[in-house]
Amino acid sequence: MVGHIRQAIAIFVGLVLTDQLTKLIAHTLLEASGAVHFGPLAIVLVQGPEHLFSGLTTLTGEQPALGLGLIAVLLSLWAAERGAGWGGVPATGWLLVAAGLAGEWLDAALVGESTGVVSLQVGPVQVGFALSELLLLLGAAALVLAALDWISAPWRSPMPLIRASAVVPDMESFQRGIDNVHLDVRLSPRFCAATCGLVTAILAHEMTRNRHGERAAPPPGRRLFEEYRESYRQLLAPAIRAAKRANEPSRIGLLQFAVLKFLLEAVGREFEAQLIGLRAGLQRSAERHSPDQLTRYDHVFGVSKARRSIEQRTRKRLLDQLEVVESSTGTDLRESLFGEPWLLPRELLFNPLLQSDPNDDCLIMHRYVLTGRRAEERNTLSRFEQFVAGLYRGEGSATESLTDGDYVWLSSRNWNTCTEALGWSGGQMPAFGLWTDVGENIAILFDQDHAATAATEAELEGDRAGAARWRRQRRYQRRAAAQLEAFCRREGLLPRLVAGYEMVEVFDTHYEALNPLLVYQYLIGGRDRTNALRQIRRLAGSGERALPLAPLFTLARRVRRTPHRRIRQLMLRFARDFLAFRRDIRNYCIVQAILEQIRLLEQEEELRLSRVNRCLHEFLSEQEAPPTRERVRAHVVLKADLRGSTVVTTQLLERGLNPGTHFDGKFFAPINDVLRRFGAEKVFVEGDAVIATVLEYEDDPVTQTAVARACGVARRMLEVVQAHNRASVRQGLPELQVGIGIAFEPAPPSYIFEGDQPIMISPAISRADRLSSSSWQLREAENSEGVAVRVYELDPDHPMRGEKGQTDLRYNVNGVELESTGFDKLAGEIDLRPVPVDDTGRYLAGRCSDLQGERHLILLREGHIRRLGQAGPGSRTERVYYEVVSDPQRLEVAEQALRAGERDIAPARQKGS
């Protein structure tokens, strides 16, 4: 920078001295009006009105005008410095104008009139001029040409920009875990074991390789890396196929983020564990008064100090291996199944900042470009981002970007806290940009060498139209690059970006033990330079192990003398790297927000609870995957409630009999065989009631007749009770009465565990409880209809309406009521046909099979709900209820009618075939 400024000043001084020297030679060798002729040209000393700019020189002969002339020279030099760069055409023009004006000003100040050296005779007209006037003419011509080129150059990029992926992961679509906040995820145990083994080996080598006097742990072998990659490959492939089957591509992203979380946490945990081991060894050496105690202390201290860099290198090696699998197996499978090689942006998943954090100066220096941390420097960088974004907005369609609505699931994220923790002033999160996120667009907008190469390639391919567009693009780039450079000069960015790039090699060679910001502050100069050098000298130490300062001073001189062409290259690189850094900061915050929502489960109790409640997202290899039958999709709850159990218990106790064995032998024990036969499960026994469930599984069609099987269970339960009641009458024992309710829930149940015992939670339990209930007032009334189930709607003025939220009253004695949603499900499970039985309602009959394949008759009675007032039952309503009939006589009538219908259908089928 300083070098090219000095070079330009040298050129300016040289031109002015050359001009004055030619005039001095002319004064010395030639008399006034004397000449040496060369055709129409003559070397001559011309003074007076025949001079080309005699009027200008005469004007500047006045004292005030001399000051104006000097101001004009200085303004020309300032314009050259603030133009498109000292090497650009506009700057060259202003430099020539400044040199010409300086020559004319010296003529006016020293001689008092114009002095020409060369005379041109064109007919009767003779014009004399000097080198200064030629410089003025050439400079003006260069400025005119530059202005014409500026005006005629395209104002928008002729070449289209590359659009980034607009995919933003949405975590709201996933089922929350058992804490209703996080996403419960379980990763393949094989992958976790392979990862931990590799992490242990890498860290053991990294943390012992600089240990003085002892042999370092060997580096991890190839076998560990191969096992790590293969375990991830076997984890990734089934997840992609499962996501395709379920049409849920977002599940792949959940797996990728869960793996990221596991890797990042595994490195931190293992480092802490090995550091504890090193400290324990240090403690043992202290107790033994070992002579190498001080050496061990230095080693442990050095490892603790280098924790960030050690963890960064370890995470990088792990993520690089993952990227290999994702770029081969992952991209092939995704492209074949979803048509896209990457469903989430690659730079989101393999963000370099995930290896450490955005405050790691060494990582930033090597991966992007190091910048200062003062508020004014941050503000300058923010203005730079706005400036480049403004250039993108000038490209018409490039104004498109992602809005807050595209990532509304992150609306609760405190972005101000996040960005302020990263040192960004104002707490402004870097915006989503579909064009600014693509580094190649910097080359399209600014890199003239890129456009020239593309134009040449188009010419060789015979694409004349394409070559012409790239030539027009190059003219556009000259303007855009000039604007970019002018902004960088105005904001003082050029010395900073040059220092940020040029320091890397020297820092890695000599100053790795220092803070990179100290070296950076010394190189950019300013008010912090002296303080930075003082700290560097203090930290450099002394003696044989002292850090050399000569490379730092040499680097500082090289930075100041960086050629202009190199500056332009670094400026374009800076634009690309800085925008990538801002993009990666934003992506880093997004990924951190996602990782905070994921909870990796490892304890068996939590896994079991989350799995049975259908909120566990498991990613396993095909060998580790559980049977598909474990995936419940719906369930039925059946509640059987004994009537008058208190009265029966009293009667038995008065006779010296055991109520427990009576209830168990007559009801609880015999129904266990019924439950097993129809694939039902006893959930729990609640006093004198039994609650059972019938589950449906996603990939098991045999289980997908849950309501029909529940109806079969209920009918068989009543048959068991009726059979035992007949025996009880003969034995003089009290009879049992039971009411059964069946409720269907088109979703899996939830569970909690009490020890190893699962406890089901389902809204269908409370509905089945209402269906199985029976009002004592209705039980005392006469059952004139001879049916087991009746339902009444309480009138608004009925005193019982509203009690416990009830609007209906039920009579259910040795009957089964099926809720209407269960009836709708049953109609889709079996073939229900209307059959004539009696006038108590409409009857529907069908058959279902138990797990042994035996067919059972299911008879339903559809009855109308009647109104119930204080005076008694009233008119019927349009609402209906459904009873599963267990009366033997009605079942026999329905069986005969159903068989008759089947006999009528069979010949019709044979005839139709």
Side-chain angles (χ1 to χ4, degrees):
M1 291 167 291
V2 175
H4 74 258
I5 294 176
R6 290 176 177 175
Q7 181 182 8
I9 293 176
I11 293 173
F12 167 76
V13 173
L15 291 174
V16 174
L17 291 178
T18 302
D19 172 64
Q20 295 301 309
L21 183 60
T22 58
K23 294 174 181 178
L24 179 61
I25 292 173
H27 273 286
T28 304
L29 300 180
L30 299 174
E31 297 179 355
S33 300
V36 178
H37 294 277
F38 297 93
L41 290 176
I43 299 177
V44 63
L45 184 62
V46 181
Q47 293 178 325
E50 294 86 1
H51 193 270
L52 180 61
F53 294 126
S54 57
L56 176 63
T57 310
T58 302
L59 178 63
T60 57
E62 301 295 331
Q63 193 69 23
L66 288 174
L68 294 176
L70 181 59
I71 292 174
V73 173
L74 296 177
L75 287 176
S76 300
L77 287 173
W78 177 84
E81 191 275 334
R82 301 297 288 183
W86 290 99
V89 174
T92 302
W94 283 114
L95 189 64
L96 294 175
V97 169
L101 287 175
E104 292 297 301
W105 183 84
L106 288 173
D107 281 353
L110 301 178
V111 181
E113 58 182 344
S114 61
T115 301
V117 176
V118 180
S119 175
L120 175 63
Q121 181 74 37
V122 182
V125 179
Q126 182 180 11
V127 178
F129 54 91
L131 179 60
S132 58
E133 288 134 2
L134 285 176
L135 295 176
L136 277 171
L137 288 174
L138 292 175
L143 292 175
V144 170
L145 291 176
L148 292 175
D149 180 72
W150 183 277
I151 295 173
S152 61
W155 288 89
R156 290 182 178 177
S157 174
M159 301 304 298
L161 301 178
I162 303 173
R163 188 179 189 274
S165 172
V167 178
V168 178
D170 183 3
M171 310 304 288
E172 286 298 313
S173 59
F174 294 109
Q175 174 69 38
R176 295 287 146 172
I178 53 180
D179 63 356
N180 293 320
V181 176
H182 298 90
L183 303 176
D184 292 347
V185 177
R186 182 198 182 198
L187 294 176
S188 161
R190 179 187 174 189
F191 170 75
C192 294
T195 302
C196 291
L198 181 58
V199 169
T200 300
I202 293 175
L203 287 177
H205 175 68
E206 289 282 346
M207 296 173 70
T208 60
R209 63 177 182 171
N210 294 324
R211 186 164 52 187
H212 179 70
E214 295 188 30
R215 189 175 181 180
R222 179 183 300 178
R223 181 181 59 83
L224 289 176
F225 285 100
E226 290 176 351
E227 290 179 356
Y228 173 66
R229 291 194 301 269
E230 183 59 27
S231 64
Y232 183 64
R233 186 177 291 108
Q234 294 188 10
L235 171 64
L236 179 64
I240 296 176
R241 297 190 187 100
K244 178 61 177 179
R245 288 194 300 269
N247 194 26
E248 294 180 347
S250 56
R251 284 184 56 83
I252 303 173
L254 179 59
L255 165 63
Q256 292 166 328
F257 290 123
V259 168
L260 279 178
K261 183 180 182 70
F262 179 76
L263 292 183
L264 302 181
E265 292 182 347
V267 173
R269 286 197 305 265
E270 182 59 26
F271 186 96
E272 190 64 33
Q274 294 198 22
L275 184 60
I276 291 174
L278 291 176
R279 288 170 176 167
L282 178 62
Q283 181 65 28
R284 288 192 298 270
S285 68
E287 293 173 354
R288 296 194 305 265
H289 302 286
S290 176
D292 65 346
Q293 179 183 353
L294 184 59
T295 302
R296 288 179 177 271
Y297 175 81
D298 290 340
H299 175 71
V300 174
F301 177 77
V303 168
S304 301
K305 186 177 180 181
R307 176 168 188 166
R308 176 183 281 179
S309 61
I310 292 175
E311 289 186 344
Q312 186 268 325
R313 290 194 298 269
T314 304
R315 292 187 180 114
K316 183 179 187 303
R317 298 183 73 178
L318 295 171
L319 291 173
D320 287 346
Q321 297 298 314
L322 284 192
E323 192 169 8
V324 170
V325 179
E326 287 283 0
S327 301
S328 54
T329 302
T331 54
D332 292 343
L333 272 176
R334 285 187 292 264
E335 192 161 21
S336 63
L337 297 179
F338 293 96
E340 294 289 341
W342 293 92
L343 300 181
L344 288 176
R346 188 171 187 163
E347 58 271 14
L348 185 69
L349 298 172
F350 298 102
N351 185 348
L353 297 181
L354 293 174
Q355 301 166 14
S356 183
D357 63 65
N359 289 319
D360 188 343
D361 294 323
C362 286
L363 174 64
I364 295 171
M365 178 182 65
H366 289 97
R367 185 58 182 81
Y368 308 98
V369 58
L370 189 64
T371 57
R373 294 189 177 277
R374 294 199 305 265
E376 57 267 26
E377 292 175 306
R378 294 296 192 188
N379 292 333
T380 298
L381 294 175
S382 296
R383 289 194 295 272
F384 176 81
E385 182 184 24
Q386 296 169 4
F387 169 76
V388 177
L391 292 181
Y392 279 93
R393 285 193 293 270
E395 302 311 314
S397 60
T399 57
E400 182 181 355
S401 64
L402 298 179
T403 63
D404 292 343
D406 295 302
Y407 50 105
V408 67
W409 60 274
L410 286 172
S411 59
S412 61
R413 182 75 172 171
N414 190 342
W415 292 118
N416 290 340
T417 302
C418 180
T419 53
E420 288 172 2
L422 299 176
W424 292 97
S425 59
Q428 294 298 316
M429 171 58 56
F432 286 91
L434 300 185
W435 273 262
T436 55
D437 281 1
V438 181
E440 290 82 353
N441 286 333
I442 293 294
I444 295 176
L445 288 177
F446 303 112
D447 192 351
Q448 299 179 46
D449 293 337
H450 172 75
T453 302
T456 302
E457 292 177 353
E459 287 282 3
L460 294 176
E461 295 174 358
D463 184 6
R464 294 185 176 180
R469 290 180 65 190
W470 276 113
R471 284 193 290 269
R472 293 182 64 243
Q473 182 72 23
R474 193 177 183 190
R475 296 179 63 196
Y476 165 83
Q477 288 172 339
R478 283 199 292 269
R479 175 192 288 117
Q483 292 176 323
L484 180 63
E485 185 171 354
F487 177 87
C488 291
R489 288 184 181 278
R490 184 169 62 251
E491 295 288 341
L493 274 175
L494 291 182
R496 291 188 173 92
L497 65 91
V498 172
Y501 286 115
E502 298 292 356
M503 67 175 285
V504 177
E505 182 178 354
V506 175
F507 179 87
D508 290 342
T509 305
H510 300 286
Y511 306 110
E512 194 172 8
L514 298 179
N515 186 337
L517 282 177
L518 287 177
V519 178
Y520 172 79
Q521 290 171 357
Y522 172 75
L523 293 177
I524 64 174
R527 65 176 183 268
D528 292 334
R529 183 175 190 179
T530 303
N531 182 50
L533 182 58
R534 185 183 303 111
Q535 294 187 56
I536 291 173
R537 289 183 185 276
R538 179 175 57 84
L539 296 173
S542 59
E544 295 181 357
R545 302 180 63 180
L547 299 178
L549 296 181
L552 180 64
F553 301 147
T554 302
L555 174 62
R557 288 192 296 269
R558 191 171 77 239
V559 168
R560 290 194 299 270
R561 297 172 182 176
T562 304
H564 179 262
R565 181 174 179 83
R566 173 67 173 165
I567 291 176
R568 291 179 70 92
Q569 294 173 348
L570 294 180
M571 183 178 62
L572 299 184
R573 181 179 170 186
F574 174 79
R576 181 178 60 252
D577 289 348
F578 177 71
L579 291 179
F581 180 48
R582 293 285 278 176
R583 176 201 66 201
D584 289 346
I585 284 180
R586 181 202 66 220
N587 290 346
Y588 172 85
C589 293
I590 291 174
V591 171
Q592 291 300 324
I594 294 173
L595 299 188
E596 288 175 7
Q597 299 184 52
I598 295 174
R599 194 166 69 108
L600 299 174
L601 300 187
E602 296 179 358
Q603 296 185 3
E604 188 58 38
E605 294 79 6
E606 290 184 328
L607 286 171
R608 179 179 58 185
L609 182 60
S610 184
R611 185 182 295 115
V612 299
N613 284 288
R614 298 268 301 187
C615 56
L616 179 63
H617 305 281
E618 290 191 272
F619 298 101
L620 307 171
S621 65
E622 293 179 349
Q623 294 80 10
E624 299 168 320
T628 56
R629 193 176 184 271
E630 290 188 3
R631 293 194 280 267
V632 179
R633 73 172 191 178
H635 68 286
V636 178
V637 172
L638 179 150
K639 182 174 182 180
D641 193 2
L642 291 175
R643 305 284 178 236
S645 58
T646 303
V647 176
V648 173
T649 299
T650 302
Q651 294 174 356
L652 292 172
L653 290 175
E654 289 175 351
R655 298 171 58 181
L657 301 177
N658 190 329
T661 56
H662 180 78
F663 288 125
D664 184 67
K666 304 295 184 183
F667 179 68
F668 291 109
I671 66 172
N672 288 332
D673 292 335
V674 176
L675 296 175
R676 285 192 295 268
R677 186 169 188 174
F678 286 90
E681 303 174 6
K682 186 183 294 183
V683 177
F684 52 82
V685 176
E686 185 181 53
D688 55 0
V690 173
I691 297 178
T693 183
V694 184
L695 304 176
E696 285 192 2
Y697 297 92
E698 290 182 356
D699 300 321
D700 191 354
V702 175
T703 67
Q704 294 173 7
T705 56
V707 177
R709 287 186 289 130
C711 292
V713 169
R715 178 192 156 185
R716 291 292 298 159
M717 276 186 175
L718 290 178
E719 290 176 353
V720 168
V721 170
Q722 291 164 1
H724 283 282
N725 280 341
R726 289 192 292 269
S728 296
V729 170
R730 291 193 301 269
Q731 298 164 357
L733 297 175
E735 299 181 48
L736 298 180
Q737 293 181 341
V738 65
I740 300 176
I742 299 176
F744 170 72
E745 182 66 25
S750 300
Y751 291 89
I752 60 174
F753 280 85
E754 184 174 346
D756 292 334
Q757 179 64 36
I759 300 176
M760 189 176 77
I761 299 175
S762 171
I765 294 178
S766 60
R767 302 203 303 272
D769 178 66
R770 289 195 298 270
L771 295 171
S772 66
S773 64
S774 183
S775 170
W776 62 270
Q777 295 97 331
L778 295 178
R779 290 203 302 271
E780 292 179 352
E782 181 183 0
N783 187 359
S784 58
E785 298 179 2
V787 295
V789 176
R790 300 195 306 275
V791 182
Y792 296 92
E793 179 183 306
L794 297 173
D795 284 345
D797 59 349
H798 197 283
M800 296 184 65
R801 185 179 177 91
E803 183 178 346
K804 297 182 180 180
Q806 64 180 350
T807 59
D808 296 336
L809 208 61
R810 284 179 164 79
Y811 170 87
N812 187 342
V813 178
N814 292 330
V816 181
E817 183 179 354
L818 173 66
E819 70 175 346
S820 57
T821 56
F823 171 78
D824 295 336
K825 177 65 166 58
L826 178 65
E829 293 178 353
I830 62 176
D831 180 21
L832 287 176
R833 299 177 184 176
V835 292
V837 176
D838 56 34
D839 58 356
T840 57
R842 185 171 75 104
Y843 287 84
L844 299 164
R847 301 186 189 278
C848 78
S849 299
D850 57 27
L851 295 186
Q852 299 176 1
E854 184 179 346
R855 304 270 285 172
H856 300 268
L857 174 66
I858 301 297
L859 179 63
L860 298 178
R861 182 180 68 87
E862 180 185 83
H864 281 269
I865 298 176
R866 298 179 62 182
R867 292 185 175 87
L868 181 64
Q870 299 186 44
S875 61
R876 74 177 192 176
T877 68
E878 295 299 320
R879 297 170 58 204
V880 298
Y881 65 93
Y882 298 94
E883 175 192 358
V884 180
V885 178
S886 61
D887 179 62
Q889 296 180 354
R890 290 187 172 97
L891 288 172
E892 180 63 27
V893 174
E895 179 69 31
Q896 295 177 2
L898 193 61
R899 287 179 179 176
E902 291 172 348
R903 287 194 298 268
D904 293 339
I905 291 175
R909 287 178 176 173
Q910 295 176 359
K911 182 177 179 180
S913 61

